[in-house]
Amino acid sequence: MIYRTVGIFAHIDSGKTTLTERILFEAGKISAIGTIEDGNTESDQLQEEIERGISIRTSFHVVPWTTTFGSFEIQLIDTPGHIDFRNQVTDLLPAMETAIVILEAGTVVQSQARLVIEELRKANVPIVFFINKLDRFGEEYLDTLVSLEEILLVPPVSLFQKGKTGGWEYYLENEQVFSKTTKEEILASDEESLLNFWKEENESSFLPRKTLQTGTKEGKIYPVYGGSAKTGEGVKELLNLVLWTGPKETDLVSKSPLLVLSRRTDPQIGRYAVVYPTVSMPVKKAFQILTKSGKKPNDSGKNKNGHSNENKDQEEKTDPNSNGILGLTFFSPETGEAQDMLIKGKLGYLLANEILDMEPGKPVSPVGLASSETERKFNEPALSPFSVVLEPENSSEKEFWLCRLNELVWEDPGYRLELKEETGQIALFGRGELHLEIGIRRISEKTEKKLSFSSINIAKLELFKKMSHKVALEHRAFEDQKSSGALIAVLEDTADFSKHIAFEVSLPEEVKHSIETSFMEACLHGFYGEEVCGLKLRVLSYEMPPGDSQTTLTLLKVAILAGVKECFPSNTYLVGPLTEIEVMVDADHLGVVLSDLSRRNAKVVSIFEAVAGKSHLKANASAENLLGFSGALRNMTKGIGISWERTAFTSEFYAVLKE
């Protein structure tokens, strides 16, 4: 059996879940095709997914598929399309062998598809494109191909065409009906093969097929099929093409034999991770590798039973409930049975335990073992500036809610918790408005306990204006008998959100430390009450007066706190995260949407007409102004408007807020 891990990626509402449902049906895994409208698809199981009609978390499916060139077990992964759940996409990339990217006919390549194409190419994952919804838009896909070429910077190879008697013809299934030009487009990625093809002058040459196989794997060819996930046209052919193309070779990226794709919680078995074995080996040996260089169980030197770990046989005792070493249970997702062997490329479930870290997108590693630079190849996106404050209505139920929140964070590390010690409240950070809204709904399901939560908080900063301001800082006390000494410095802006101190004079370490700490403290609360960023303090001179040094340093701290703060009222301005938004609506709804965006002080970047009376617009605005826009859009367009939002807060990407 040949195992192939295949991910399905696309912009929101392009048909990922519909395609997954059709593939499961064609493979005989389900007897009837579910629909998003009816809320009965195999991929969307969460109540929030069913109610909203969107995918919230990654789903995994095992699909047997037989071709003329072999029998396969496809490990099909349906990914969320909304940007708030992007981390679930990036977590899969280290183990992804082949990607299907769905494009929607009748429009250009949309933003989330563009982003995922870039990420897949960066991760060297072979890509097969599928232009969906041809049952609705017919042959109106030329704009899609042109747009795709602009992104790839090389022409994609269209390997489907309209048949003479209707329907669509596909290259692998009917190669002889395709022109010599199409075959030359395939061979253009390999000059030697193209020259040999011309020498052969043989229309039945196997060279184009072979080049298609290797060229896609090497990222030199980007094949395109088209059809309809809804009707099933082109879906079988798409799977054959995906399996014909060469997969990415997933190497052992560290000493760990397992990569984590996702984490789950099951009522029966508890926490577990979906993992990808990078090598074939016994489970027992894998556990030995994982714990060899890390923290051993009970590193006090005693084993689980309190005896010395000198007895190696006892330490490697087999758990009666597991086919592996004590502490490692690896089992099959199809049968639920514990496994003795890891098989390279065959996904499995690994039960969580106290001695192993199972961070999505990274190798399984011993607890406390720092990740290497290689293991950090796929960096996590920056934490979102969105948060809510949570508080149980009954203080005795705090542990209950913390338990639920920790389960949420376990499944999706895109969330983050912070306990506010001064108030006893809990802050939940998420990647966006939708992300937080769904997180709260998920933890509140199936319980009568009540949880109060604030409106969404959005991060703000005060940014130091572009300037250079010389200051003389001094503070006197005890009837002017004591002085901090005169500190001459320059306050100036930086190129980013950072804060720096530069000493252009030699000073004792305790003086430098006092200046640094008081400067940072002064920046915690600016004129508008927010943290002040983007400034630098250059210390030009300071002469410490004689007398008690401790008193002098205390007065110096007061001088800096007061002096720096005096500069903030006229020299800082409020900034916050900026949101880029794309909206697809019927043309007759465009006016009311534009009006709503105008009220939110959004800047419209572009508007163009798509097919079938659809309008596509791009705009940007401060994130705080766009809170609630998605819900408003659904109301304005009677539920058929689609929006995609990307929010960031960096020194290059921010909005200036009203002061």
Side-chain angles (χ1 to χ4, degrees):
M1 183 66 68
I2 305 171
Y3 300 98
R4 182 72 66 86
T5 303
V6 178
I8 299 180
F9 305 88
H11 186 84
I12 187 171
D13 201 48
S14 293
K16 294 184 304 301
T17 299
T18 303
L19 178 61
T20 300
E21 198 75 7
R22 173 59 67 170
I23 290 172
L24 294 175
F25 176 76
E26 298 290 353
K29 295 289 289 187
I30 56 176
S31 57
I33 298 174
T35 65
I36 294 172
E37 292 75 17
D38 294 335
N40 59 351
T41 63
E42 292 294 311
S43 293
D44 296 339
Q45 299 290 329
L46 296 177
Q47 188 62 32
E48 284 293 309
E49 293 177 311
I50 295 170
E51 290 178 4
R52 294 174 181 269
I54 62 171
S55 295
I56 291 171
R57 67 178 183 180
T58 301
S59 63
F60 300 84
H61 310 273
V62 178
V63 180
W65 197 259
T66 301
T67 68
T68 57
F69 48 86
S71 295
F72 295 82
E73 187 172 281
I74 305 173
Q75 297 165 144
L76 195 66
I77 304 177
D78 181 13
T79 64
H82 198 282
I83 191 69
D84 280 13
F85 308 100
R86 176 173 169 262
N87 62 302
Q88 296 188 46
V89 173
T90 55
D91 289 344
L92 300 169
L93 297 183
M96 192 57 55
E97 294 175 341
T98 308
I100 298 172
V101 174
I102 302 175
L103 307 176
E104 190 171 343
T107 186
V108 297
V109 179
Q110 295 171 315
S111 51
Q112 183 66 2
R114 287 173 175 266
L115 182 59
V116 79
I117 290 169
E118 292 174 6
E119 291 171 333
L120 289 167
R121 295 178 78 189
K122 184 178 178 181
N124 298 317
V125 179
I127 306 173
V128 174
F129 292 96
F130 183 70
I131 300 179
N132 193 23
K133 304 185 182 182
L134 290 180
D135 56 318
R136 292 170 54 189
F137 301 119
E139 299 182 48
E140 297 181 13
Y141 60 89
L142 181 60
D143 286 347
T144 309
L145 289 175
V146 171
S147 175
L148 182 58
E149 183 174 350
E150 291 174 355
I151 297 166
L152 299 174
L153 301 179
V154 294
V157 182
S158 180
L159 297 177
F160 72 107
Q161 61 189 22
K162 199 69 176 178
K164 293 180 180 179
T165 58
W168 298 93
E169 297 170 335
Y170 299 92
Y171 185 82
L172 284 183
E173 284 68 27
N174 205 2
E175 185 177 359
Q176 66 275 11
V177 303
F178 283 81
S179 67
K180 183 180 179 182
T181 301
T182 300
K183 297 171 184 177
E184 289 174 341
E185 287 177 5
I186 297 173
L187 292 164
S189 64
D190 185 349
E191 185 177 344
E192 184 178 349
S193 296
L194 179 60
L195 292 173
N196 289 334
F197 178 71
W198 285 337
K199 289 177 182 178
E200 286 181 7
E201 295 185 354
N202 181 4
E203 289 296 316
S204 62
S205 170
F206 193 71
L207 280 173
R209 278 179 170 246
K210 184 64 178 176
T211 304
L212 175 63
Q213 185 179 53
T214 57
T216 306
K217 176 181 178 179
E218 295 168 357
K220 297 178 180 178
I221 298 176
Y222 296 96
V224 182
Y225 266 12
S228 169
K230 186 174 182 179
T231 66
E233 187 164 20
V235 172
K236 291 180 179 179
E237 293 81 0
L238 172 66
L239 284 185
N240 291 339
L241 175 62
V242 167
L243 297 174
W244 172 254
T245 59
K248 170 189 171 183
E249 291 293 336
T250 306
D251 299 322
L252 186 67
V253 296
S254 71
K255 294 180 181 178
S256 174
L258 296 168
L259 292 172
V260 180
L261 278 66
S262 183
R263 299 194 300 211
R264 294 284 189 269
T265 302
D266 184 271
Q268 304 299 322
I269 63 175
R271 292 179 173 183
Y272 68 92
V274 182
V275 293
Y276 177 99
T278 56
V279 292
S280 296
M281 65 170 60
V283 172
K284 180 176 179 179
K285 183 177 179 182
F287 183 74
Q288 291 170 338
I289 291 172
L290 288 171
T291 56
K292 184 177 180 181
S293 58
K295 183 179 179 181
K296 303 294 190 299
N298 297 306
D299 63 358
S300 61
K302 294 184 179 180
N303 62 19
K304 184 178 179 180
N305 299 315
H307 301 299
S308 169
N309 279 333
E310 292 176 0
N311 188 331
K312 185 177 179 182
D313 293 334
Q314 274 193 328
E315 178 62 24
E316 296 186 354
K317 180 181 177 181
T318 302
D319 188 325
N321 297 317
S322 166
N323 283 23
I325 288 293
L326 183 66
L328 185 68
T329 304
F330 181 83
F331 57 99
S332 165
E334 303 103 275
T335 65
E337 297 178 354
Q339 304 293 296
D340 291 317
M341 287 288 298
L342 301 179
I343 300 175
K344 182 179 180 181
K346 180 173 173 55
L347 301 185
Y349 294 162
L350 183 66
L351 285 186
N353 59 61
E354 61 183 13
I355 63 173
L356 294 177
D357 272 333
M358 300 178 185
E359 189 73 18
K362 296 181 180 179
V364 177
S365 62
V367 168
L369 187 66
S371 298
S372 67
E373 287 302 316
T374 304
E375 293 163 3
R376 296 193 195 105
K377 181 178 179 181
F378 298 95
N379 296 319
E380 295 181 357
L383 286 171
S384 167
F386 295 92
S387 66
V388 292
V389 176
L390 310 173
E391 188 170 8
E393 290 193 0
N394 188 334
S395 59
S396 63
E397 296 171 350
K398 185 174 182 179
E399 288 302 317
F400 167 83
W401 289 110
L402 280 174
C403 181
R404 287 214 160 186
L405 285 163
N406 280 317
E407 290 301 329
L408 180 70
V409 174
W410 163 261
E411 286 201 16
D412 184 354
Y415 294 104
R416 180 170 61 89
L417 292 180
E418 280 187 6
L419 296 180
K420 295 181 174 291
E421 295 182 2
E422 64 278 8
T423 62
Q425 295 172 315
I426 306 164
L428 176 66
F429 291 81
R431 294 183 180 272
E433 181 183 3
L434 178 65
H435 196 222
L436 282 173
E437 184 182 338
I438 286 175
I440 293 170
R441 286 284 300 272
R442 286 187 64 186
I443 65 171
S444 302
E445 288 176 352
K446 300 177 183 177
T447 179
E448 295 181 357
K449 294 181 172 65
K450 301 298 182 182
L451 181 70
S452 299
F453 51 91
S454 70
S455 57
I456 293 178
N457 302 316
I458 300 182
K460 297 177 183 177
L461 294 174
E462 291 184 45
L463 191 60
F464 203 62
K465 293 180 179 178
K466 291 187 178 298
M467 62 166 292
S468 182
H469 188 68
K470 193 171 184 179
V471 293
L473 307 176
E474 184 177 7
H475 183 73
R476 291 183 173 273
F478 306 108
E479 298 181 350
D480 287 344
Q481 297 301 309
K482 298 289 185 181
S483 170
S484 64
L487 175 72
I488 308 299
V490 174
L491 272 173
E492 55 192 14
D493 64 283
T494 65
D496 51 26
F497 285 171
S498 62
K499 296 187 287 287
H500 300 293
I501 297 180
F503 292 96
E504 298 185 5
V505 60
S506 179
L507 295 174
E509 284 302 316
E510 63 271 16
V511 175
K512 292 172 67 174
H513 177 71
S514 182
I515 294 172
E516 288 171 348
T517 54
S518 53
F519 172 69
M520 292 302 178
E521 185 177 337
C523 294
L524 290 179
H525 300 285
F527 179 70
Y528 302 102
E530 306 295 340
E531 180 183 358
V532 180
C533 293
L535 76 163
K536 178 180 182 180
L537 180 71
R538 283 197 297 119
V539 179
L540 304 181
S541 67
Y542 174 67
E543 290 187 10
M544 193 169 182
D548 179 25
S549 62
Q550 188 60 47
T551 300
T552 300
L553 292 178
T554 301
L555 295 176
L556 178 61
K557 182 174 182 179
V558 174
I560 294 172
L561 283 170
V564 171
K565 281 180 174 291
E566 284 181 3
C567 296
F568 292 160
S570 58
N571 296 320
T572 70
Y573 57 95
L574 275 175
V575 297
L578 182 68
T579 294
E580 290 181 332
I581 185 167
E582 293 187 35
V583 181
M584 180 76 78
V585 294
D586 287 343
D588 53 359
H589 291 135
L590 181 61
V592 68
V593 172
L594 286 171
S595 178
D596 185 79
L597 288 172
S598 177
R599 287 194 298 270
R600 296 170 183 271
N601 293 321
K603 177 184 177 182
V604 176
V605 177
S606 65
I607 303 175
F608 65 87
E609 184 178 349
V611 297
K614 296 281 188 182
S615 291
H616 184 262
L617 71 90
K618 293 182 180 181
N620 57 57
S622 67
E624 64 176 18
N625 289 355
L626 284 174
L627 282 178
F629 176 77
S630 295
L633 179 68
R634 288 195 295 269
N635 293 332
M636 288 185 288
T637 62
K638 299 180 181 180
I640 59 175
I642 300 167
S643 68
W644 172 89
E645 300 168 21
R646 181 176 77 93
T647 300
F649 193 16
T650 68
S651 56
E652 296 84 23
F653 195 87
Y654 63 85
V656 177
L657 308 178
K658 288 184 177 180
E659 300 173 358

